[in-house]
Amino acid sequence: MQNQTKTSSIFSITVIVAALGYFVDIYDLLLFGIIRVPSLKELGLTPEQITVDGESILSWQMFGLMLGGIIWGVLGDKRGRSSVLFGSILLYSLANIANGFVQTVDQYKWIRFIAGIGLAGELGAGVTLVVESLPKEKRGIGASIVAGFGITGAIAAFFIKENFHWRTCYFIGGGLGLILLLLRVSVLESSMFKNMKEKSVQRGNFIMLINNGNRLVRYIQSILIGVPTWLVIGVLITFSREFGKEFGIAEEIDPGKAIMFAYAGLALGDVTIGLVSQWLKSRKKALYVFYALTSICLVLYFTVLWNGSASVMYAICGALGFAAGFWAVFVTVGAEQFGTNLRATAATTIPNMVRGTVPLMLLLFQFLRNLPGVGYVKGGIYTSIIVFAICTLAVITSRETFHKDLNYEEV
């Protein structure tokens, strides 16, 4: 249990609860992508509407995440990291239960928007607590455990989808969140936050992240570093069914299964990159390794799958997931870039700003694929090249944070 001194165990109650919280968070976050087709079919949508309205519902969820990231991030620095865990878990649990009762696409959009607001607080608050409770030599591994275990929530969502009606899947997600609230009471507040709270410094002021040139650059870099993960998940994996048709794969691709394979890879990748970062004593070098792996897998995705098979598609989705499994290090870097009085604001908004780029990437994808002579697959290729090039530049120009002392404030 956390106290006024840092715990040396990477299996402390703080790490365990953060990992379980992220498990439920990922279950709920990815559930729509997994049950998109059966749920929208039951609501009476045509195949074309399933694609278009599916993109729209996903965008609403991601906009909710962006807004929620700011709300919970500010509260995390003003009220405390632990209190954010309670509020965010409660909101997304109730929203997911409500999702089991939707009857129209508009209802679906609004409730996924509210769920997105709730889901936004879990990861940032959890990782902030973890990095502030562990010594710098172990905080990267602690964050990797949180992300690696948490990401398996997507695998659980797929298997639950295979055995239960889609509405029941939402009820289960909400129930898991409410159960998690009972465990959350075991987590005490960060000692760094308690000490900082006694000082006369501004806390949780989101404007401070953007009104200073140096902080703004750090903030934008931190966001861009994580975008390729959601390029893979939000575009290539979520819409693998549509890509499969364009590639000429005879068997219809199940996007839920594609997400399951991708997140199995992501879970393994998140743990691996934490160990690689520890071995190299560098966040940036570990990111270079996984960015290189992601670029190789993107080439395979757009070249190997023509007239291929569903099994090859799922295998490449798993490989893409592993390569893009740098979420743990990305979130850790975001938390390490800022002082204690802005850390929760940064660590909570950064991953949700990344998730919020999904609608922008989808708009770019839609624009490019509708250009004369481009089409669906080339649109995906061009989107991937543009996004990946911008994000690689962000990694190159970012600061190394592996050895950084976190006990300071931004002024």
Side-chain angles (χ1 to χ4, degrees):
M1 190 175 294
Q2 193 172 327
N3 50 40
Q4 291 302 308
T5 60
K6 289 188 177 184
T7 177
S8 61
S9 174
I10 58 173
F11 296 107
S12 66
I13 188 65
T14 299
V15 176
I16 292 171
V17 172
L20 290 172
Y22 194 40
F23 176 92
V24 179
D25 177 283
I26 288 294
Y27 173 97
D28 291 337
L29 181 66
L30 273 294
L31 186 57
F32 171 70
I34 291 172
I35 63 174
R36 170 177 63 98
V37 175
S39 65
L40 295 181
K41 274 185 178 178
E42 188 172 306
L43 293 182
L45 275 65
T46 65
E48 182 178 345
Q49 289 173 323
I50 288 173
T51 298
V52 175
D53 287 325
E55 291 178 344
S56 179
I57 293 169
L58 179 62
S59 294
W60 276 68
Q61 176 178 297
M62 295 308 178
F63 285 133
L65 284 159
M66 289 183 68
L67 177 60
I70 297 173
I71 294 171
W72 298 118
V74 170
L75 288 176
D77 281 323
K78 289 184 177 293
R79 306 278 300 185
R81 290 76 162 108
S82 185
S83 62
V84 167
L85 286 178
F86 180 86
S88 64
I89 293 169
L90 180 62
L91 181 58
Y92 73 63
S93 298
L94 295 177
N96 276 285
I97 291 172
N99 244 136
F101 296 102
V102 297
Q103 300 296 326
T104 68
V105 169
D106 284 340
Q107 290 175 0
Y108 220 147
K109 290 177 181 177
W110 278 106
I111 296 178
R112 288 322 295 164
F113 174 75
I114 295 170
I117 293 175
L119 290 167
E122 177 67 44
L123 179 61
V127 168
T128 302
L129 277 167
V130 167
V131 300
E132 290 182 345
S133 68
L134 292 174
K136 60 185 177 183
E137 296 80 11
K138 294 184 178 181
R139 64 196 184 208
I141 295 178
S144 292
I145 291 173
V146 172
F149 178 79
I151 279 171
T152 60
I155 302 172
F158 170 74
F159 284 108
I160 289 174
K161 168 255 187 184
E162 291 291 287
N163 293 282
F164 294 94
H165 188 270
W166 66 269
R167 294 185 186 275
T168 306
C169 293
Y170 278 121
F171 297 147
I172 291 172
L176 289 173
L178 294 177
I179 293 172
L180 183 63
L181 283 178
L182 301 177
L183 293 176
R184 175 260 164 203
V185 299
S186 302
V187 180
L188 298 183
E189 191 52 81
S190 159
S191 58
M192 281 190 191
F193 172 79
K194 289 180 178 179
N195 294 334
M196 179 270 297
K197 193 174 180 180
E198 297 174 358
K199 300 177 182 179
S200 58
V201 294
Q202 289 192 65
R203 306 196 313 270
N205 183 352
F206 178 77
I207 301 301
M208 286 182 66
L209 291 172
I210 59 177
N211 68 357
N212 174 280
N214 180 277
R215 280 195 294 263
L216 178 60
V217 169
R218 279 183 278 151
Y219 188 62
I220 294 174
Q221 288 171 331
S222 298
I223 292 169
L224 291 175
I225 288 170
V227 169
T229 297
W230 274 94
L231 166 70
V232 169
I233 299 302
V235 179
L236 304 183
I237 305 298
T238 298
F239 297 97
S240 55
R241 172 175 171 264
E242 287 78 4
F243 276 107
K245 288 181 179 178
E246 296 294 328
F247 288 136
I249 297 175
E251 182 183 347
E252 182 173 300
I253 301 299
D254 179 355
K257 186 178 289 187
I259 289 172
M260 186 271 291
F261 274 98
Y263 268 78
L266 275 163
L268 182 59
D270 268 312
V271 174
T272 302
I273 195 173
L275 297 175
V276 170
S277 175
Q278 193 72 18
W279 176 53
L280 297 174
K281 304 297 182 185
S282 170
R283 308 282 187 238
K284 288 185 67 171
K285 290 178 182 178
L287 285 168
Y288 288 147
V289 171
F290 275 70
Y291 261 57
L293 290 174
T294 304
S295 64
I296 292 170
C297 290
L298 286 171
V299 172
L300 293 176
Y301 185 93
F302 288 112
T303 58
V304 172
L305 289 176
W306 286 100
N307 299 312
S309 65
S311 59
V312 174
M313 167 66 95
Y314 295 136
I316 292 180
C317 287
L320 262 174
F322 176 82
F326 45 81
W327 194 250
V329 164
F330 146 71
V331 176
T332 304
V333 168
E336 291 173 337
Q337 288 281 7
F338 299 92
T340 308
N341 57 323
L342 287 180
R343 187 165 299 125
T345 303
T348 306
T349 57
I350 286 169
N352 290 300
M353 290 296 177
V354 172
R355 292 162 172 169
T357 63
V358 173
L360 300 179
M361 287 189 283
L362 288 173
L363 286 173
L364 176 62
F365 177 38
Q366 291 166 1
F367 169 76
L368 292 173
R369 76 191 189 211
N370 289 324
L371 291 176
V374 176
Y376 205 87
V377 175
K378 286 184 179 179
I381 293 172
Y382 299 157
T383 301
S384 300
I385 291 172
I386 292 170
V387 171
F388 206 75
I390 294 172
C391 298
T392 300
L393 181 62
V395 176
I396 293 171
T397 57
S398 65
R399 295 179 179 181
E400 178 60 65
T401 59
F402 184 86
H403 296 288
K404 189 174 182 180
D405 181 10
L406 301 186
N407 195 13
Y408 71 99
E409 288 80 37
E410 301 277 351
V411 293

